[in-house]
Amino acid sequence: MKQEILTLGIETSCDETAASVVRGRFEPLSNIVASQTDIHDKYGGIVPELACRRHAELIGSVVGSAIETAKVTLADIDLVAVTRGPGLVGALLVGLSYAKGLAWGRKLPLVGVNHLNGHITAGLVSNPMAPLPALCLLVSGGHTELYTMEAPGALLKIGSTRDDAAGEALDKVARMLGLGYPGGPVIEKMAKGSEARFDLPVALSRKDTLDFSFSGPKTAAKYLIRDLMATGDPLPVEDICASFQKAVIDALEQKTALAAKWRKPKSIIVAGGVACNGPLRERMNLLGERLGVEVVIPPPVLCSDNAVMIAVAGAIEYLNNPEDPAFRDFNSMDADSGWAPSR
Ligand code: KG4
Ligand code: ZN
């Protein structure tokens, strides 16, 4: 085997068709992401059937451009890594089938990667030297969870949302305000320079638990919007966005701080699409300073869905035990829409 293997990563779990080539464990040579937000925007959320069709249309050209941008050829690839779950099952199947065909045809090993492990692994891409054990806050559209990570990929779930994920709640509140999809980035934009003057509850804040809850604050936002509309005055959309964003960030910060107090991690990794949020990044960095713990937050391109994180997580798993027959057992490698990464 070459010293530095080349991994082709493929990601199609939700509404981004993505492919990348990574050298060794941590060196991205390309990162191609074709977003579908334009086709889902008018529906206020992802339409699974439309997502699958678009993945099927784009997968070939996205993989082609990942290889071309990396200035390699298909013949140079040593390993294929693909998201196997969790996600929309039809969307996962597009990437998984493509990856299986490619790996089978070229007689390459194939790793089925957990998407959530991928998000957290993005922290190791931005800092391969991050001291472990790490406390990992994963905040995406479908998940809000806390993990401890003792070694790359060895995750233990210690907290999660009891209802909506943070990103999902941001998306829903944006929809109530007629701001389109995805909601997180537009809420951040509207909130900038505005005042968080409406008091929205931070659920479970006084409880000794590492769980989150975002459906209460979301419902409180719904009633706030209803009551403000009833006054007949123009709706203060910016201040509502600032207030809801603050309630979400307060909850994320509080539970991360509590987990850090209990677990005493050597670093804190914040990952997932919501980690693109500027004020959240600031608050987490301040928390790290206060606790004297290194905080690792990948750059936004590695926080939202991408295939670098999948290639890296796949390469790490493969290099731990390259002879594992599972990497050649394509028949057992099924899409798993509810796959949890925790042991
Ligand atoms: O990780 P991701 O790209 O996809 C999933 O695996 O779910 O996360 C998507 C989520 C969406 O809910 C989106 O609104 C949110 O990340 N998001 C943000 C920002 N950018 C994306 N939330 C807050 N602020 C942002 N700047
Ligand atoms: Zn994701």
Side-chain angles (χ1 to χ4, degrees), residues 258-337:
L258 186 60
K261 185 174 146 197
W262 286 352
R263 297 280 171 162
K264 307 259 179 300
K266 295 204 174 116
S267 61
I268 297 175
I269 293 175
V270 187
V274 181
C276 294
N277 185 275
L280 173 65
R281 298 169 78 91
E282 247 168 65
R283 289 274 289 278
M284 287 297 162
N285 282 322
L286 287 174
L287 175 68
E289 275 172 33
R290 243 183 11 250
L291 299 174
V293 176
E294 182 178 352
V295 171
V296 180
I297 314 178
V301 283
L302 295 181
C303 284
S304 48
D305 285 350
N306 67 85
V308 169
M309 65 187 198
I310 302 304
V312 171
I316 290 173
E317 189 177 334
Y318 175 75
L319 291 170
N320 275 345
N321 184 11
E323 301 310 320
D324 188 336
F327 301 135
R328 303 277 176 182
D329 183 8
F330 295 3
N331 284 341
S332 307
M333 222 179 280
D334 288 330
D336 185 346
S337 59

Side-chain angles (χ1 to χ4, degrees), residues 115 119 140 305 309:
H115 182 79
H119 271 303
S140 69
D305 285 350
M309 65 187 198

Side-chain angles (χ1 to χ4, degrees), residues 2 24 28 105 113 151 160 163 175 192 212 226 254 266 328:
K2 285 187 280 183
V113 175
S160 67
D163 38 59
R175 189 167 158 179
K192 208 167 189 168
F212 304 88
R226 183 197 63 185
Q254 278 178 19
K266 295 204 174 116
R328 303 277 176 182

